[in-house]
Amino acid sequence: MAVKSDIKTVATVADPRWARVQARDRSADGAFFYAVKTTGVFCRPSCAARPPKPENVIFFDTAADAEGAGFRACLRCRPSAAAGSAAVTEKMQRVAEFIRAHAHEPLPLARLAAHASLSPAHLQRTFKAVVGVSPKEFQAAERIRTFKSRLRNGDSILNATFDTGYGSTSRIYERVDGGLGMTPSAYRAGGAGETIRYAIRDTSLGLLMMAATERGVCFVQFGARPDMLVAQLTAEFPRAAIESSAAGAAAPLDHWIDALNDHLSRSGPSPALPLDLRGTAFQIKVWRFLLSVKPGMVVSYTEVAQAVGAPKAVRAAARACAANRVAILVPCHRVLRADGGLGGYRWGLDRKRALLDAERAARAQKAGA
């Protein structure tokens, strides 16, 4: 037993985290936690309690890991309290700022981990939990955001490509479907060269516009007047060729909006249409998950965050739902608050309630058939 105790003592003392516990290093709060086997309690590194014997100490990357191992939170330093979470959040925000400032450079996880004084695995897990996406995905989103900004400001495609770290123009064309939504030349010209067709119908839930590119539906919105809807679409693509698709024309868009109108007005089946979704990496993850939520079912914002691998990014998940430009087809109306309340809906809570009621009724009818 003495030999085993000595081995554990040596291992703990050799761990750099032990020195930070002995120093009650507040800057380490949130970076890791330590638990004491003899008391069954886990603490922050800065805990003011008497330091335990090193052979009784176990280190954990997160409070959740410590709790999962059966340890309870210290009542003195409250490691699970909001202050700890705030420290972690602040640290990950600093990492995010570092990525923004160096997004055009190679940023391997090891470099980011060294910058944050964390292990690569811990940084990966914590950053994703706080920010909602991995550091690699965050950098990719920052690159495409900077690239888009450079194009909007009139920079050439070649200069914007190399200055944002893509290395070649072929690399940015690989990113078209994920973040740009159109070719770089078309985006730089505010959609010039793109043809976006729209159709407007009266539905049981009000006036509805659907618009589509060659890739699929990119815009479904409710509005008070046709001109207001056209203005919204034009604001998204100021230099695109915006064309009205007259009712009865031999074009897919007319069939698509008729199918959606049938779904809303006569409880027809929800149409499965091709989509041209445009957003950040995290938004796309959220929207793709929402596409998997079946009619008549609901999820909470917390469940959405968990489903996309970012359990702490509940507010970011809610913002992604609010940023959805494709009403109904990307069913953000199926997301409720944790207490079962309707929460928000950019097209009005009455519409959200009506959509949910209709889907529940259809599901119940199908189950009873």
Side-chain angles (χ1 to χ4, degrees):
M1 294 295 293
V3 173
K4 289 184 178 180
S5 178
D6 289 343
I7 292 174
K8 291 178 180 177
T9 299
V10 171
T12 301
V13 171
D15 192 312
R17 291 175 291 188
W18 175 244
R20 303 181 80 175
V21 170
Q22 289 186 306
R24 295 191 172 98
D25 185 356
R26 289 187 177 278
S27 68
D29 285 353
F32 68 90
F33 301 83
Y34 73 90
V36 184
K37 291 184 288 185
T38 52
T39 63
V41 169
F42 74 95
C43 303
R44 304 184 195 192
S46 66
C47 185
R50 185 175 63 183
K53 294 181 179 180
E55 62 268 23
N56 294 327
V57 169
I58 305 174
F59 294 110
F60 293 96
D61 287 335
T62 68
D65 290 342
E67 291 172 339
F71 293 94
R72 65 184 185 277
C74 172
L75 296 178
R76 186 166 187 172
C77 69
R78 298 174 60 83
S80 298
S85 298
V88 174
T89 299
E90 183 180 353
K91 190 164 194 172
M92 292 305 102
Q93 288 174 342
R94 290 198 298 269
V95 174
E97 288 301 321
F98 181 83
I99 294 174
R100 286 193 184 97
H102 301 271
H104 59 289
E105 304 172 14
L107 289 178
L109 191 60
R111 179 183 174 186
L112 295 175
H115 174 76
S117 300
L118 298 172
S119 71
H122 179 52
L123 173 63
Q124 175 86 352
R125 181 168 56 252
T126 307
F127 189 91
K128 188 170 184 178
V130 172
V131 179
V133 293
S134 69
K136 183 178 180 180
E137 291 170 326
F138 186 84
Q139 182 187 11
E142 280 300 307
R143 275 187 174 181
I144 199 71
R145 182 190 63 79
T146 303
F147 181 80
K148 291 163 72 173
S149 177
R150 297 287 295 269
L151 293 183
R152 284 196 302 268
N153 291 332
D155 204 353
S156 71
I157 296 170
L158 191 62
N159 285 344
T161 297
F162 288 100
D163 288 348
T164 49
Y166 283 106
S168 68
T169 54
S170 63
R171 295 294 304 277
I172 185 61
Y173 276 85
E174 292 172 3
R175 296 294 304 166
V176 166
D177 287 334
L180 200 57
M182 58 178 67
T183 64
S185 57
Y187 190 91
R188 182 176 182 270
E194 284 273 303
T195 298
I196 300 175
R197 293 181 174 86
Y198 70 87
I200 299 175
R201 298 283 190 276
D202 280 313
T203 73
S204 59
L205 296 181
L207 201 64
L208 181 76
M209 170 189 275
M210 177 188 290
T213 65
E214 292 182 354
R215 291 183 177 86
V217 177
C218 63
F219 187 91
V220 176
Q221 300 276 331
F222 289 100
R225 301 196 315 267
D227 61 318
M228 293 174 63
L229 289 168
V230 173
Q232 288 183 48
L233 180 61
T234 302
E236 290 283 335
F237 308 101
R239 298 183 185 176
I242 306 295
E243 297 181 359
S244 172
S245 181
L253 178 62
D254 294 292
H255 297 301
W256 295 347
I257 194 169
D258 286 342
L260 183 57
N261 184 30
D262 183 66
H263 168 63
L264 292 176
S265 304
R266 292 179 287 277
S267 299
S270 179
L273 306 180
L275 301 177
D276 183 358
L277 300 180
R278 307 174 184 203
T280 66
F282 182 73
Q283 287 173 337
I284 295 293
K285 279 188 175 182
V286 169
W287 298 338
R288 285 177 176 167
F289 169 70
L290 294 181
L291 291 170
S292 72
V293 180
K294 298 186 181 300
M297 304 297 291
V298 295
V299 294
S300 68
Y301 293 106
T302 300
E303 289 171 323
V304 173
Q306 292 171 342
V308 298
K312 294 184 179 179
V314 178
R315 290 185 179 179
R319 288 194 296 270
C321 292
N324 175 28
R325 300 183 189 90
V326 185
I328 306 168
L329 297 180
V330 176
C332 56
H333 61 275
R334 295 174 190 159
V335 187
L336 306 179
R337 292 200 309 249
D339 62 3
L342 286 179
Y345 193 56
R346 65 184 297 179
W347 299 285
L349 292 184
D350 288 342
R351 285 194 177 101
K352 184 172 187 176
R353 187 179 295 106
L355 286 166
L356 291 173
D357 289 346
E359 290 182 352
R360 286 166 177 158
R363 184 179 180 87
Q365 184 178 14
K366 185 177 179 180

